[in-house]
Amino acid sequence: MSGFMSSNFRVAPLGLIAAAGLLAGCAQLPEGAEFSDPYEAKNRGVHDTNVEIDRTLFGDGKQKGIIPTFPRPLAKGFINFASNLAAPGDVVNRVLQGKPKPAIETTLRFVINTTVGIGGLFDPATAMGIEKDETDFGETLAVWGSGEGDYIVIPIIGPSTERDAVGFVVDLVLDPLNVLLPRPESSYALVAAAASSAASRQVNADLVESILYESADGYAQARIIYLQNRRYELGEDIYVIDPYEDPYGQ
Amino acid sequence: MVNDGLSRRGLLAAAAGGFALSVAGLPAAALNVDEARTLVDKLVGDINAVIASGKNESAMIREFERIFARYADVRYISQSALGPAGRAASKSDLAAYTAAFQGYIARKYGKRFREFIGSQIQVTDARPIKSFYEVVSVAKLKGQSPFDVRWHVFDKSGKDLFFNIIIEGVNMLATERAEIGAMLDQAKGSIPALTAALKRAG
């Protein structure tokens, strides 16, 4: 993901971060609401377009898409490679979150996987017991106390929230690889991210296709699954149903 | 800790005018954290056996349906997912819906658990939440980050059963409420039509 449209945002990163904090800070969820989706009509339009793109590229389980299915080891390689390229950005975010332990571990992972793992194509660090710890500026904003804001669907990218969308843009600016590498090289990260996304989509084909193509309302399923999983990742309140307060279960 | 559930359940029963207790057939002791854990240990053992059996997909799904019927409060889950529409439904429509729902969940979640082939699910923790218990388990897949699978257990029916599964934060009951609601809309509010659609779904 990181690396997308990078060069446009290389200027004035600090101003953007401040603006991001302000923006995400205002967007608090109404209390007691499961989610806030005031742009639902617009979001559904974007969702439908994204689904059509997905169907064309990857197929819907019945018909094949135009992208051939990568052999598993190749898909793994793409995912590992992009994940390794994103590690410096993860470290910056963990530092901003005031979490030195994962920052140090991810640095170690980056060194091991870049060298022993042949440029990040393999993930020997996990085998050594240093597990992947991905993060992003959306999580940094959450740690800083901003609410998730409204649910939004971004063209191509898919489900997000106001907070995560702001984080996505800031990550492009914060990513040390984008800042340090010259222009053509830094845009390779975009290619790697795209290949990794395609590989993940293929590896998780059963799950993705059951949500997008087998649900009665794929939009509603994608929304609830994204939000609940994201809140879980961020260690936020997990939605719990108390059966003794449920009027409908008998 | 052990008596935690007892007092809570006692209060609940009192609040409901003893109704809950009489319906539940007076369980000797209310559910506690150890019993919740034991239930999920057994359940996870059954799932692991199916995953390790190497049977084909349809045979596995049949096994998952048997496990779901044995360990889950299917009646509660299906009616909670259906929501207010269930209140006006006839008994026979509701029974047919619940049976179709059981097959649908087994197919849908059976496919998810098939992804755990080559792994073992392990129970790691159990704790009370509100008036029920959460049993935490982990599915470790080779070369992948472990999956967090939580089981919410209660004994509202008089038997210790699970009523919700939370996989990496994603709540089965909440997602099924959204999905069953959408299917009911498509069925124009008809529960028999919803039941027919459920038989084809999952």
Side-chain angles (χ1 to χ4, degrees), chain B residues 121-135:
Chain B
I121 307 172
Q122 280 176 346
V123 173
T124 55
D125 193 19
R127 63 201 176 96
I129 302 184
K130 297 188 175 188
S131 49
F132 58 90
Y133 292 90
E134 177 173 81
V135 182

Side-chain angles (χ1 to χ4, degrees), chain A residues 34 76 123 126 131-132 203-204 206-208 210 214-218 220-221 224-226 228-230 232-233 238-250, chain B residues 9 12 73 75-76 79-80 83-84 87 108 111-112 115 130-132 143-144 146 148 152 154-156 163-164 168-171 173-175 177-179 182-183 186:
Chain A
E34 266 181 65
K76 277 260 169 193
D123 180 14
T126 294
E131 274 177 22
K132 202 193 271 189
V203 169
N204 298 304
D206 278 355
L207 180 61
V208 176
S210 88
E214 288 168 26
S215 302
D217 185 352
Q221 288 296 297
I224 194 167
I225 290 169
Y226 173 79
Q228 292 191 344
N229 180 247
R230 182 66 176 155
Y232 165 77
E233 279 179 354
I238 290 179
Y239 181 60
V240 159
I241 291 174
D242 185 342
Y244 295 99
E245 285 170 8
D246 177 1
Y248 305 122
Q250 300 148 42
Chain B
R9 208 52 39 84
L12 245 150
D73 193 332
R75 207 175 118 98
Y76 168 78
Q79 293 189 9
S80 176
R87 285 186 170 162
K108 192 167 171 181
K111 283 178 193 160
R112 293 286 80 78
E115 288 164 15
K130 297 188 175 188
S131 49
F132 58 90
Q144 252 183 283
D148 178 318
H152 287 181
F154 72 163
D155 62 354
K156 198 178 177 185
F163 66 92
N164 207 352
E168 294 280 299
V170 180
N171 188 310
L173 201 45
T175 52
R177 278 178 182 172
E179 181 64 2
M183 292 178 86
Q186 286 182 353

Side-chain angles (χ1 to χ4, degrees), chain B:
Chain B
M1 204 59 162
V2 174
N3 288 321
D4 221 31
L6 193 72
S7 55
R8 216 189 301 262
R9 208 52 39 84
L11 272 171
L12 245 150
F19 179 74
L21 268 176
S22 62
V23 169
L26 292 162
L31 179 64
N32 62 45
V33 74
D34 296 325
E35 286 177 7
R37 191 180 176 127
T38 305
L39 174 85
V40 177
D41 269 329
K42 270 201 266 178
L43 155 64
V44 159
D46 282 11
I47 292 175
N48 282 335
V50 176
I51 293 173
S53 71
K55 288 181 180 167
N56 66 35
E57 177 166 309
S58 61
M60 271 199 195
I61 299 233
R62 271 198 303 279
E63 291 292 298
F64 282 126
E65 179 164 356
R66 189 185 54 74
I67 292 171
F68 185 56
R70 178 171 168 199
Y71 291 102
D73 193 332
V74 179
R75 207 175 118 98
Y76 168 78
I77 297 169
S78 64
Q79 293 189 9
S80 176
L82 184 58
R87 285 186 170 162
S90 75
K91 258 192 166 173
S92 61
D93 280 354
L94 217 50
Y97 157 77
T98 299
F101 182 89
Q102 175 176 309
Y104 158 78
I105 289 289
R107 288 189 295 278
K108 192 167 171 181
Y109 285 81
K111 283 178 193 160
R112 293 286 80 78
F113 281 105
R114 274 188 82 242
E115 288 164 15
F116 296 151
I117 284 176
S119 80
Q120 277 268 323
I121 307 172
Q122 280 176 346
V123 173
T124 55
D125 193 19
R127 63 201 176 96
I129 302 184
K130 297 188 175 188
S131 49
F132 58 90
Y133 292 90
E134 177 173 81
V135 182
V136 184
S137 68
V138 172
K140 279 187 184 151
L141 287 100
K142 217 179 162 194
Q144 252 183 283
S145 306
F147 270 83
D148 178 318
V149 184
R150 292 164 189 237
W151 309 84
H152 287 181
V153 177
F154 72 163
D155 62 354
K156 198 178 177 185
S157 66
K159 278 171 77 182
D160 302 350
L161 297 167
F162 81 84
F163 66 92
N164 207 352
I165 313 173
I166 289 108
I167 304 177
E168 294 280 299
V170 180
N171 188 310
M172 173 188 73
L173 201 45
T175 52
E176 289 312 322
R177 278 178 182 172
E179 181 64 2
I180 298 296
M183 292 178 86
L184 188 63
D185 283 348
Q186 286 182 353
K188 299 190 173 63
S190 155
I191 291 180
L194 165 69
T195 302
L198 274 175
K199 286 179 183 165
R200 296 188 301 266

